[in-house]
Amino acid sequence: MEAVGFVELLAAPAAKRRWSDEAKGRMVAETLVPGVTVNEVARRHGLKANHLSSWRTLARKGKLVVPEVVGAEFAAPVASPMVVPTVPTMALIELIMGPVTVRLDAATPAARITELAMALRALS
């Protein structure tokens, strides 16, 4: 009998691969360049596209650091301290309608101020 072809054996990895956060970030950054698809990057690195998509979700939520890549269209969120204006404790809002004066705390919601102003208007 004559040999007609050959058999190719592919060995599966012995264990699950673990990607470092840095490697994940680099791969996610590659997907952010216009014209590059998630499937293309996943195939190049030998992983499933759904893993790469889940890493992209982590990056959007700010849980994965993505290095800057020239041409990328995604900016990772950056946390910055929020400045909250402080209201002086003596600040008051006064609603005056004729002889009636209503004094409110400066933290009174706008909807409540509107209600009171409408009520005062109805009295006059």
Side-chain angles (χ1 to χ4, degrees):
M1 185 180 253
E2 187 177 320
V4 182
F6 66 93
V7 176
E8 182 180 357
L9 295 175
L10 300 174
K16 289 183 179 182
R17 284 187 287 182
R18 304 273 181 199
W19 298 95
S20 68
D21 286 345
E22 184 179 316
K24 291 177 186 178
R26 279 195 313 269
M27 286 184 252
V28 168
E30 290 178 35
T31 67
L32 302 175
V33 176
V36 178
T37 65
V38 171
N39 284 330
E40 178 184 331
V41 175
R43 196 172 20 258
R44 191 172 346 147
H45 291 284
L47 68 136
K48 294 183 178 180
N50 64 330
H51 288 125
L52 190 50
S53 293
S54 65
W55 297 343
R56 285 170 50 104
T57 300
L58 289 174
R60 273 192 300 275
K61 292 180 178 178
K63 297 180 180 179
L64 181 66
V65 176
V66 178
E68 289 188 30
V69 174
V70 177
E73 294 181 341
F74 171 78
V78 177
S80 60
M82 190 170 115
V83 178
V84 179
T86 57
V87 179
T89 57
M90 299 302 289
L92 293 176
I93 298 172
E94 291 186 347
L95 298 176
I96 303 170
M97 183 65 73
V100 179
T101 301
V102 178
R103 289 185 181 88
L104 303 169
D105 182 64
T108 304
R112 181 65 179 148
I113 295 169
T114 304
E115 290 172 356
L116 292 170
M118 296 298 282
L120 285 173
R121 183 174 172 205
L123 289 176
S124 60

